[in-house]
Amino acid sequence: GIDTTQGGMAVREFSDYENISEYAREAMAWAVNAGIINGVTPDTLEPQGQATRAQVAAMLMRFIENVVK
């Protein structure tokens, strides 16, 4: 029941946007716009990297706070 169709251009502001796999771009755009993913640094997402347990916990918490309400 969560609308994940709204995207946006915010994800394109990251310098490594082109490294996001084609299949994941729409989902990443939504996650960035929803405030779930902030980036590893102010200008990088590191989309081909591995998330730490702490990063995943932070994303889940932001999902609950920003989306589930």
Side-chain angles (χ1 to χ4, degrees):
I2 296 172
D3 182 11
T4 61
T5 58
Q6 69 271 19
M9 301 302 286
V11 73
R12 292 179 187 256
E13 294 176 13
F14 290 95
S15 62
D16 55 356
Y17 166 77
E18 294 296 325
N19 295 337
I20 300 171
S21 298
E22 189 68 34
Y23 73 89
R25 287 190 179 171
E26 184 178 339
M28 285 290 282
W30 173 79
V32 169
N33 288 335
I36 297 168
I37 295 178
N38 296 330
V40 177
T41 69
D43 69 333
T44 62
L45 288 168
E46 295 186 20
Q48 299 298 321
Q50 295 183 354
T52 66
R53 193 177 333 183
Q55 289 169 323
V56 172
M59 288 185 282
L60 289 171
M61 191 65 175
R62 287 187 213 117
F63 176 75
I64 292 167
E65 292 173 345
N66 298 345
V67 179
V68 176
K69 300 176 188 164

